[in-house]
Amino acid sequence: MAERIATIASRVGLHARPAAIFAEAAAEQPVEVTIALEGEPAEEALDASSILALMGLGAEHGTRVVLRAEGEGAEAALEALAAVLETDHDAA
C-alpha cells in the first residue's frame, strides 16, 4: 500500500471549497484513496472522495494527514492529491 503525508495549506483547513476540490480530484483517480489524520490507525481512514467525510475529519490549516492507496497508479495518485492539499485554495 502506498502512503503519503501531506500538510493542509488552505487557511480554512479542509472545509467547504478546499474539501470539494480535493474530493473531486480524489474521485478522478484510478485507485481508491483514503485519508486520515496523522497518527490515526489505517483502519479509521475515510474515503477521500467523500466531501462529508473530509469535512468531518476536522483537518485545519497546518494539520498533517496520511493519504493511502493501493494498486496500479497509487503513487502518482497520492502525489497529485498531496499537491492539491498543499495548495492554499483560499489565497486571493
Side-chain angles (χ1 to χ4, degrees):
M1 177 168 289
E3 190 173 294
R4 171 75 157 73
I5 295 176
T7 303
I8 306 299
S10 289
R11 287 173 283 174
V12 297
L14 201 50
H15 298 284
R17 185 167 174 260
I21 292 168
F22 181 77
E24 183 176 335
E28 292 172 354
Q29 299 305 315
V31 292
E32 289 186 21
V33 179
T34 62
I35 186 170
L37 297 176
E38 186 178 38
E40 287 190 351
E43 304 80 48
E44 293 183 19
L46 305 171
D47 178 359
S49 65
S50 167
I51 293 175
L52 290 178
L54 294 173
M55 293 179 68
L57 192 62
E60 299 177 355
H61 174 79
T63 299
R64 289 170 50 101
V65 295
V66 180
L67 301 173
R68 294 182 182 93
E70 200 168 5
E72 189 173 332
E75 292 284 350
L78 296 185
E79 286 303 317
L81 292 174
V84 171
L85 291 177
E86 294 176 341
T87 299
D88 184 357
H89 296 284
D90 300 306

